[in-house]
Amino acid sequence: MEEEELVQKKMMFVMRKAPHGTIYSYEGLEVVLITAAYDQDISMAFIDDGVFVLKNDQDTTGIGIKGFMKTYFALEDYEVEKLYACNESLAERGLKKEDLIDVNIQFMNRSEIAKLMEEQEVLFPF
Amino acid sequence: MKLAVLILDGPYNHQAPDSAYNFIQAALKKGHEIIGVFFYDDGVINSTKLMEPPQDDRHIGKRWSELGKSGIDLVICIAAAKRRGIADDVLIENARISGLGQLVDMAVAADRLVTFGD
């Protein structure tokens, strides 16, 4: 077998949409999981309505679709450990830290997230 | 520059596939290389040969197929395609169905990944 040199890039997944209502957030998460298997330097930023993804106690039985929140608790197993939530987006939507799921989230201002985006080599907007 | 293109929305419903196509044409004209186009989310619907738009309108499926014929790799995500009834039997010519890993490969190999969609 030919040996291929593993190229690792800084890749940020930008979750901008509510978890339900459209499939973008869910299918975006699927790309995160696959990318993790490729040993990339992954981070996720939750901005705009994307912060709703992190809301605790989500129950999708009423809308008749399979939820995917459990996957967020497993992200650490995939070594996806850099989760950034936008302070302004949370405040605009009346969300407080205690409303969010119990995973390791770093809270940042818009300008700090913008700076992190600039450092990325690949941005996946979902 | 080596460019990869990611398309997340469906034909006719959304401007994204048109913008992506126009972007690719402009990039090629400028001498850039398109290393691949990846279709994901509703973007996979771009790849059905069953589409039959009015004759006086652009034929988005044919347009992609011609681009594929010119040698550009058109990759349709299998997981997203399965959800939406896209399989090899309805696939446009010069495109292929494959896994999400191909998207990661493109992102790694390209100088820029350019995304079109909501």
Side-chain angles (χ1 to χ4, degrees):
Chain A
M1 251 175 82
E2 271 183 59
E3 271 190 45
E4 273 185 58
E5 201 184 332
L6 177 79
V7 179
Q8 194 186 53
K9 281 193 169 181
K10 282 172 85 80
M11 300 190 178
M12 178 182 270
F13 291 82
V14 187
M15 312 309 268
R16 304 170 296 147
K17 296 188 168 70
H20 310 295
T22 65
I23 201 169
Y24 297 106
S25 191
Y26 174 55
E27 288 196 323
L29 182 60
E30 291 195 334
V31 183
V32 173
L33 300 181
I34 296 286
T35 308
Y38 279 69
D39 259 341
Q40 298 298 311
D41 181 1
I42 296 176
S43 59
M44 296 178 78
F46 298 85
I47 66 171
D48 301 344
D49 276 351
V51 293
F52 282 120
V53 174
L54 302 171
K55 174 77 181 69
N56 60 15
D57 297 331
Q58 291 183 41
D59 180 359
T60 57
T61 48
I63 51 174
I65 61 171
K66 192 176 120 190
F68 54 91
M69 286 319 296
K70 277 183 189 160
T71 311
Y72 273 89
F73 293 99
L75 280 179
E76 253 188 24
D77 300 333
Y78 289 86
E79 291 178 30
V80 178
E81 286 159 339
K82 289 181 261 187
L83 308 183
Y84 309 118
C86 171
N87 287 327
E88 290 93 331
S89 299
L90 288 165
E92 284 161 6
R93 288 157 183 82
L95 288 172
K96 297 191 173 68
K97 288 176 189 177
E98 56 266 31
D99 299 319
L100 306 183
I101 53 172
D102 188 19
V103 296
N104 190 12
I105 303 166
Q106 296 178 58
F107 297 91
M108 291 189 172
N109 292 331
R110 235 166 227 155
S111 56
E112 295 172 291
I113 292 180
K115 210 177 268 174
L116 280 174
M117 283 180 179
E118 275 186 35
E119 294 169 9
Q120 304 301 314
E121 295 171 279
V122 182
L123 285 170
F124 284 104
F126 282 108
Chain B
M1 195 180 266
K2 282 187 186 175
L3 300 168
V5 174
L6 171 61
I7 298 175
L8 301 178
D9 278 288
Y12 304 104
N13 183 62
H14 201 290
Q15 178 76 26
D18 293 286
S19 298
Y21 181 81
N22 293 333
F23 171 80
I24 290 166
Q25 294 298 339
L28 290 170
K29 222 178 205 172
K30 289 241 174 193
H32 297 293
E33 183 191 350
I34 307 292
I35 65 163
V37 183
F38 195 88
F39 296 83
Y40 193 53
D41 289 348
D42 271 2
V44 298
I45 300 167
N46 280 277
S47 71
T48 169
K49 66 179 177 191
L50 299 180
M51 72 174 78
E52 217 176 307
Q55 284 195 348
D56 56 357
D57 198 358
R58 71 223 187 277
H59 195 305
I60 292 180
K62 260 187 202 155
R63 222 163 52 173
W64 287 124
S65 190
E66 280 159 18
L67 195 74
K69 199 177 178 186
S70 76
I72 291 176
D73 194 16
L74 307 179
V75 186
I76 320 301
C77 170
I78 187 163
K82 278 191 166 180
R83 282 199 181 97
R84 294 164 178 86
I86 307 288
D88 280 328
D89 56 336
V90 299
L91 193 68
I92 54 170
E93 281 181 39
N94 311 312
R96 64 191 178 97
I97 295 177
S98 189
L100 270 175
Q102 298 277 307
L103 172 61
V104 185
D105 284 340
M106 281 185 201
V108 168
D111 298 314
R112 291 282 167 85
L113 172 77
V114 186
T115 304
F116 293 87
D118 262 346

